[in-house]
């Protein structure tokens, strides 16, 4: 990739921590996050990036609390919708490549085969709608050099995530019900970060999907987390893990019932293989 300056936006977040950890040695990473750097401040974004002149901007910043977005739509649209547009405008002006992360929640979840990169989005939540607005802001900016990567069910070090939530609850309770009628693909942030660096080594710009290989429901994901925790000898109070339906666990935001992403384009362009979700979970247990 050669010597390159990278502006990492949302640098304190979960995915960003792995983007930093797995960066090629020749890149120089400059970190930006709240409170010093606010993605919603268009003027500050433009000035900061114009003075740094990075060849690459990686946007890991977002308002990621899916249910929180339902009660604060204006902030969701500012951060997830308009923020990426400010980055795209800056990238276009200074000739940088923009990497942006989006989500499976831009889809309705009514298909029964993996979503292709050009399938029509139809988000069912404020989070999904605001992330779609961010995608559109980049597409409408006229920027040509961008990688827009949709992913799903992220977990990894340095963040709140489903794996950590299940481990905490399994240490506190003896009975747990987890939804079994939402199906998707868990994604280890280490694998996604590696995929982003792989894409950056190409000049095949555009929209991509990346998640770990395979599929499961949240219930099956939880069952595997518990199984691996037991293998690691973690002390757990949990005796019973039960499958429940979405309607039995009402949350403010509607989630897609089916959100598998087709990774065909990523596989074709990079020629890389994608780790199976169970194997990646095992690698996470080995380092956490
Ligand atoms: N987590 C998932 O399951 C999931 C699934 C699919 C897609 N994604 C997407 O993947 C990307 C990375 O997600 P993640 O889970 O790593 O996110 P994360 O851990 O929540 O990190 C996001 C970072 O962005 C920062 N941020 C929020 N508002 C900002 C603003 N106005 N200006 C600058 N920085 C701001 C946050 O700071 P504060 O903590 O101070 O707010 C945080 O450090 C996001 O685009 C997300 O939409 C995530």
């Amino acid at each position: 990739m050669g010597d390159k300056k990278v502006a990492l936006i949302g640098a304190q977040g979960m995915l960003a921590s792995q983007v930093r950890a797995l960066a090629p040695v020749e890149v120089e990473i400059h970190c930006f996050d709240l409170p010093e750097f606010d993605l919603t401040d268009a003027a500050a974004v433009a000035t900061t990036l114009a003075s740094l002149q990075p060849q690459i901007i990686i946007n890991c910043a977002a308002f990621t609390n899916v249910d929180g977005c339902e009660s604060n739509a204006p902030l969701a649209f500012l951060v997830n919708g308009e923020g990426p547009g400010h980055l795209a405008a800056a990238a276009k002006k200074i000739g940088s490549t923009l990497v942006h992360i989006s989500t499976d929640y831009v889809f309705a979840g009514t298909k029964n085969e993996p979503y292709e990169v050009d399938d029509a989005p139809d988000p069912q939540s404020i989070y999904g709608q605001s992330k779609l607005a961010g995608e559109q802001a980049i597409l409408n900016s006229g920027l040509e050099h961008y990688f827009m990567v949709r992913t799903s069910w992220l977990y990894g070090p340095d963040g709140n995530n489903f794996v950590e939530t299940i481990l905490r609850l399994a240490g506190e309770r003896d009975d747990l019900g987890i939804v079994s009628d939402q199906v998707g693909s868990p994604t280890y942030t280490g694998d996604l970060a590696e995929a982003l660096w792989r894409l950056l080594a190409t000049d095949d710009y555009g929209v991509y999907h990346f998640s770990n290989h395979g599929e499961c429901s949240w219930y099956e994901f939880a069952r595997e987390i518990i199984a691996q925790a037991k293998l690691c000898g973690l002390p757990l109070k949990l005796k019973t893990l039960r499958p429940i339906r979405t309607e039995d666990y009402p949350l403010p935001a509607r989630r897609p019932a089916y959100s598998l992403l087709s990774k065909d384009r990523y596989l074709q362009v990079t020629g890389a293989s994608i780790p199976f979700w169970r194997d990646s979970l095992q690698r996470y247990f080995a380092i956490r």
Side-chain angles (χ1 to χ4, degrees), residues 9-16 33-34 37-40 59-64 79 101-104 127 131 151-154:
I9 317 295
Q12 300 301 322
M14 182 171 69
L15 174 61
D33 207 318
L34 289 172
F37 178 92
D38 185 350
L39 181 58
T40 65
N59 181 28
C60 292
F63 181 3
T64 55
V79 179
I101 317 301
S102 193
T103 169
D104 55 334
Y127 172 72
K131 291 293 290 183
T151 189
S152 61
W153 299 22
L154 284 184

Side-chain angles (χ1 to χ4, degrees), residues 56-57 141 147 156 164 194 210 216 263:
I56 297 167
I57 300 167
S141 70
F147 295 99
E164 295 305 321
E194 213 172 273
F210 184 90
C216 60
K263 275 92 72 175

Side-chain angles (χ1 to χ4, degrees), residues 105-280:
Y105 283 19
V106 298
F107 294 118
T110 47
K111 269 182 90 172
N112 48 19
E113 57 184 3
Y115 280 92
E116 301 293 338
V117 287
D118 51 6
D119 274 339
D122 181 14
Q124 302 294 303
S125 61
I126 300 288
Y127 172 72
Q129 288 161 18
S130 66
K131 291 293 290 183
L132 178 60
E135 291 190 4
Q136 287 163 345
I138 294 172
L139 296 177
N140 295 336
S141 70
L143 178 71
E144 287 174 10
H145 292 187
Y146 66 84
F147 295 99
M148 196 144 75
V149 184
R150 298 191 187 115
T151 189
S152 61
W153 299 22
L154 284 184
Y155 68 91
D158 306 313
N160 294 322
N161 59 65
F162 185 75
V163 180
E164 295 305 321
T165 302
I166 292 296
L167 292 176
R168 179 175 52 77
L169 293 174
E172 293 168 2
R173 302 189 191 172
D174 51 20
D175 176 271
L176 206 52
I178 302 291
V179 293
S180 60
D181 54 1
Q182 288 170 32
V183 174
S185 304
T187 306
Y188 180 43
T189 48
D191 294 334
L192 174 57
E194 213 172 273
L196 298 179
W197 289 116
R198 254 186 232 283
L199 284 172
L200 274 164
T202 76
D203 50 12
D204 290 292
Y205 305 109
V207 181
Y208 286 86
H209 287 170
F210 184 90
S211 57
N212 274 131
H213 190 58
E215 63 178 86
C216 60
S217 66
W218 289 110
Y219 166 73
E220 290 165 326
F221 189 19
R223 205 172 52 186
E224 184 65 22
I225 293 164
I226 300 297
Q228 295 204 17
K230 283 183 178 160
L231 284 176
C232 293
L234 297 186
L236 303 179
K237 197 170 172 213
L238 192 73
K239 302 257 180 316
T240 321
L241 185 70
R242 288 174 294 110
I244 60 170
R245 288 168 309 171
T246 299
E247 65 204 60
D248 298 328
Y249 189 68
L251 288 170
R254 227 171 126 188
R255 270 93 170 151
Y258 177 95
S259 71
L260 252 78
L261 300 172
S262 161
K263 275 92 72 175
D264 288 354
R265 176 150 197 239
Y266 172 82
L267 292 167
Q268 275 157 19
V269 165
T270 63
S273 60
I274 299 179
F276 194 68
W277 70 266
R278 277 197 176 86
D279 298 331
S280 294

